Amino acid sequence: MILLDGKKVAQEIRAEIREEVETLKARYGRAPGLAVILVGQDPASQVYVRNKERACAEAGIVSFPFHLPVETSQNELEGLIQRLNRDVTVDGILLQLPLPAGLDGQRCLELIDPGKDVDGFHPVNVGKLTLGLPGFRSCTPAGVMELLRRYNLSPACKKAVVVGRSNIVGKPLALMLGQSGACANATVTLCHSGTSDLCRECLEADFLFVAVGRPRFVTGDMIKPGAVVVDVGINRTDQGLVGDCDFESVKEKASALTPVPGGVGPMTIAQLLKNTIDGYKAHVGAKE
């Protein structure tokens, strides 16, 4: 079995980005900038934001942190987003979700300039993904696709099953897998909690992607021998962090499998950095 080491691959990508940032900064006179907005003190969100800010620093990307109190109003948050949209030193805007009760996260996401939407959540970028047009892609599924590319695991002409239909992972991942291209072009089935005979669907998958948010939900008896299994989930349990797959039983059947932690998570942050660089290049290129 191949262990799909997302941590190792992400380190390679971050090193490539750091080198590219140095070249771009010398050419254009400034480094790329990423604004990170965190409202409140949700512990998990604070960890995620710290990791993203640390990754930016290591890559040479300027991080503009905005850690706002939980009492922040909708108008105040919207005003900040609009200011960042106009700020020419900001190439990407990241709004950490979920927001505290009383704040409209979807409205705030839709206020972000699509050209700075490095999370890939804006309806414009989601629409571009649906149409196969260039645009920002949601970081986690894009990171999954890059992990497959780096390991030369192409789902082309294979059956891919995605378990989970979230707007952040499941839906965009299914779209990416089904598009034309050497490392896509799969026949895709999107499953969810209402899928009849989910076990049978999983057993038919050459490539299985699991993102349901339930610890050890998929077990070895649901895996086709030789399947590639990508576990997107990360769950905190009394035994520590575990994925949506039961690693020990799944590894006996899979030909390749992501660990948790150290699989998809690092790839998500690497893709965020790449999106920020892409936004930066679009902005500085527009001035030429």
Side-chain angles (χ1 to χ4, degrees):
M1 187 201 71
I2 301 171
L3 191 67
L4 302 178
D5 191 342
K7 183 177 181 179
K8 177 178 178 291
V9 173
Q11 288 173 341
E12 295 171 356
I13 294 172
R14 285 158 70 164
E16 295 166 5
I17 290 174
R18 183 165 58 249
E19 184 175 341
E20 184 177 12
V21 167
E22 291 175 358
T23 300
L24 291 169
K25 184 178 179 180
R27 181 176 182 183
Y28 294 107
R30 73 171 179 89
L34 175 66
V36 181
I37 304 172
L38 172 64
V39 185
Q41 298 180 338
D42 178 75
S45 292
Q46 289 179 323
V47 171
Y48 296 146
V49 165
R50 279 199 301 271
N51 290 339
K52 292 168 183 175
E53 291 174 346
R54 187 181 301 115
C56 283
E58 292 174 358
I61 296 173
V62 178
S63 179
F64 301 103
F66 294 89
H67 297 180
L68 309 179
V70 70
E71 298 83 10
T72 299
S73 70
Q74 183 76 22
N75 286 340
E76 290 170 330
L77 183 53
E78 291 181 11
L80 172 60
I81 291 170
Q82 291 166 341
R83 291 196 300 274
L84 294 174
N85 283 340
R86 297 189 296 267
D87 191 333
V88 296
T89 67
V90 173
D91 302 293
I93 301 172
L94 186 153
L95 177 63
Q96 183 65 40
L97 300 176
L99 295 177
L103 295 177
D104 188 338
Q106 186 59 39
R107 176 174 169 80
C108 290
L109 290 175
E110 292 178 10
L111 278 178
I112 295 174
D113 179 347
K116 296 187 178 186
D117 168 42
V118 289
D119 262 333
F121 294 160
H122 194 284
V124 167
N125 286 316
V126 175
K128 287 182 175 180
L129 168 61
T130 303
L131 296 173
L133 299 175
F136 288 124
R137 303 300 193 235
S138 181
C139 295
T140 296
V144 168
M145 298 300 291
E146 182 62 21
L147 186 63
L148 295 179
R149 279 191 288 269
R150 296 272 175 154
Y151 275 92
N152 295 314
L153 294 170
S154 174
C157 303
K158 304 289 187 179
K159 178 165 183 178
V161 172
V162 180
V163 184
R165 56 180 170 181
S166 72
N167 293 331
I168 295 174
V169 180
K171 290 178 184 177
L173 179 57
L175 287 169
M176 292 178 197
L177 288 163
Q179 291 186 348
S180 60
C183 198
N185 206 37
T187 299
V188 185
T189 299
L190 180 60
C191 297
H192 49 78
S193 58
T195 297
S196 176
D197 201 351
L198 178 60
C199 183
R200 178 180 60 82
E201 296 288 353
C202 292
L203 280 168
E204 293 179 355
D206 301 302
F207 284 72
L208 179 63
F209 305 86
V210 189
V212 292
R214 299 184 186 180
R216 303 187 180 95
F217 178 73
V218 169
T219 53
D221 58 353
M222 301 169 68
I223 306 300
K224 178 181 180 179
V228 173
V229 180
V230 176
D231 188 347
V232 183
I234 185 163
N235 307 279
R236 288 175 171 82
T237 70
D238 293 339
Q239 293 76 41
L241 296 177
V242 300
D244 288 353
C245 294
D246 179 55
F247 185 87
E248 293 302 320
S249 63
V250 170
K251 75 177 183 180
E252 300 301 322
K253 292 281 194 70
S255 63
L257 175 63
T258 53
V260 177
V264 174
M267 295 299 300
T268 298
I269 295 180
Q271 184 63 36
L272 171 66
L273 300 179
K274 183 180 182 302
N275 282 354
T276 302
I277 297 299
D278 289 345
Y280 169 87
K281 288 189 286 190
H283 295 152
V284 295
K287 297 179 183 179
E288 295 181 339

